[in-house]
Amino acid sequence: MYDMRKVEELIARWENGERDAEMRKVRNEVFDVLTLRTIYKLMEQKYILRLEGVISTGKEANVFRAVDPSGEYIAVKVYRVETSEFRHMWKYLEGDPRFARFRRNKRSVIRVWAKKEYKNLEACFRAGASVPYPIVSRDNVLVMEFVGEDGEPAPRLKDCVPDDPDGFVEELLDSLGKIYYGAGIVHADLSEYNILVRGGSPVVIDMGQGVPWEHPFAIDFFRRDMERLSAVLSDLGREYTVGELVKVLEERGKKGGGKA
Ligand SMILES: Nc1ncnc2c1ncn2[C@@H]1O[C@H](COP(=O)(O)OP(=O)(O)OP(=O)(O)O)[C@@H](O)[C@H]1O
Ligand SMILES: [Mg+2]
């Protein structure tokens, strides 16, 4: 549990050269001192009251459950700076007209990456898709809506079967239509790992790598997404070819009145 006092104390101890077991543990939890300062700023600005447990520790990022000053749960995604594969990120950044210029050091690439996830979520949310509502991004930290119930994070589609698979599929196709053809964003890492199931309905997450159609590899990412989607839907008992999926998503995205 990290509240403002704790974060302040950790920053002071780090600056003081202390490197005991607790400081090493904090570091392993993705908190280098710059990240601690970023979290501190977000606390000062009243986006975060305190960080609670870790929901997920991944290769690229850790996701925490947190609470905002009004007592609402929020999710805080902290991208790793030290160990992240930031060179791999260039492929998804270069050619995105929204980020025409970015500096090629780790920290700036990861800052832009977090901002990209924020912008992608924002565009998809505005288009009416079921994605976590983005609250703020600052440096390598993204604050967004917590997807879950009573503080319990929603499971991934990978780990559960929705009660009403047909209804779930319909909602998923609607949301994906709004993402790809309403907001005009190709997710680029669509899979049963990045779809959460909340109250029987899908929520699409993890949009850092998402690119607009203008991106030079958008079509390749799109094809890969559609192949994976076809497999995901097949597991839910619905068979679609990639060609059929393109038509279905296009139709549903345009129906929503997006700008495709
Ligand atoms: N807004 C959220 N609310 C609740 N849980 C979330 C939220 N965002 C992410 N999670 C949880 O954290 C996990 C990892 O998040 P995400 O997929 O965005 O990160 P990632 O980029 O895949 O990280 P890595 O690939 O390094 O594991 C998700 O599978 C989900 O369980
Ligand atoms: Mg993921």
Side-chain angles (χ1 to χ4, degrees):
M1 219 272 284
Y2 299 90
D3 60 11
M4 204 165 170
R5 259 195 27 223
K6 182 74 191 172
V7 173
E8 198 167 18
E9 177 203 317
L10 290 170
I11 293 172
R13 289 179 55 198
W14 185 266
E15 285 171 346
N16 204 24
E18 291 179 37
R19 301 291 184 270
D20 57 17
E22 187 187 15
M23 293 309 287
R24 282 199 301 274
K25 175 172 166 273
V26 165
R27 233 193 120 82
N28 288 338
E29 279 180 336
V30 303
F31 295 130
D32 55 58
V33 70
L34 288 176
T35 303
L36 285 172
R37 289 207 186 100
T38 299
I39 301 275
Y40 189 79
K41 261 268 171 307
L42 289 167
M43 288 173 161
E44 268 185 341
Q45 295 172 329
K46 309 273 185 235
Y47 289 110
I48 304 174
L49 180 66
R50 61 171 183 274
L51 294 186
E52 301 187 337
V54 182
I55 301 171
S56 156
T57 57
K59 230 165 40 275
E60 310 283 340
N62 281 7
V63 178
F64 293 83
R65 189 184 76 179
V67 174
D68 75 8
S70 72
E72 292 284 329
Y73 287 118
I74 48 177
V76 178
K77 185 169 181 178
V78 182
Y79 280 99
R80 292 174 187 286
V81 177
E82 279 313 315
T83 56
S84 80
E85 287 282 324
F86 79 111
R87 282 198 177 77
H88 159 87
M89 294 174 167
W90 289 352
K91 186 173 173 197
Y92 296 83
L93 280 176
E94 214 155 33
D96 187 328
R98 297 170 302 172
F99 306 99
R101 283 180 303 149
F102 59 94
R103 277 181 291 146
R104 286 173 179 247
N105 64 66
K106 262 191 198 187
R107 209 163 260 283
S108 348
V109 169
I110 289 161
R111 189 189 61 237
V112 175
W113 191 261
K115 168 103 342 184
K116 187 149 89 83
E117 176 153 32
Y118 177 93
K119 290 216 174 273
N120 287 341
L121 288 173
E122 187 182 42
C124 295
F125 187 85
R126 283 206 184 133
S130 173
V131 298
Y133 172 73
I135 298 166
V136 67
S137 87
R138 187 181 177 107
D139 297 326
N140 57 326
V141 178
L142 169 67
V143 181
M144 64 187 140
E145 176 187 351
F146 174 79
V147 180
E149 277 167 309
D150 303 324
E152 198 53 46
R156 302 175 302 183
L157 181 56
K158 164 88 180 58
D159 302 318
C160 77
V161 184
D163 292 335
D164 168 19
D166 275 329
F168 184 88
V169 167
E170 288 307 312
E171 288 184 50
L172 180 60
L173 292 172
D174 263 339
S175 265
L176 293 173
K178 287 168 177 157
I179 291 173
Y180 290 82
Y181 293 101
I185 300 287
V186 175
H187 185 291
D189 191 20
L190 190 65
S191 76
E192 66 276 35
Y193 289 88
N194 288 331
I195 300 168
L196 302 182
V197 183
R198 174 176 58 188
S201 294
V203 183
V204 179
I205 61 160
D206 199 3
M207 298 211 64
Q209 66 295 314
V211 297
W213 285 109
E214 293 86 348
H215 188 282
F217 301 131
I219 294 288
D220 303 302
F221 299 150
F222 178 65
R223 192 167 299 123
R224 190 177 63 192
D225 280 357
M226 290 306 107
E227 280 163 9
R228 294 215 197 125
L229 176 60
S230 169
V232 165
L233 295 178
S234 174
D235 287 343
L236 291 166
R238 298 269 291 261
E239 302 301 331
Y240 287 92
T241 65
V242 167
E244 287 165 347
L245 283 176
V246 176
K247 278 206 201 100
V248 170
L249 296 194
E250 211 167 7
E251 206 169 89
R252 296 193 185 213
K254 291 192 171 142
K255 217 165 46 191
K259 61 173 163 50

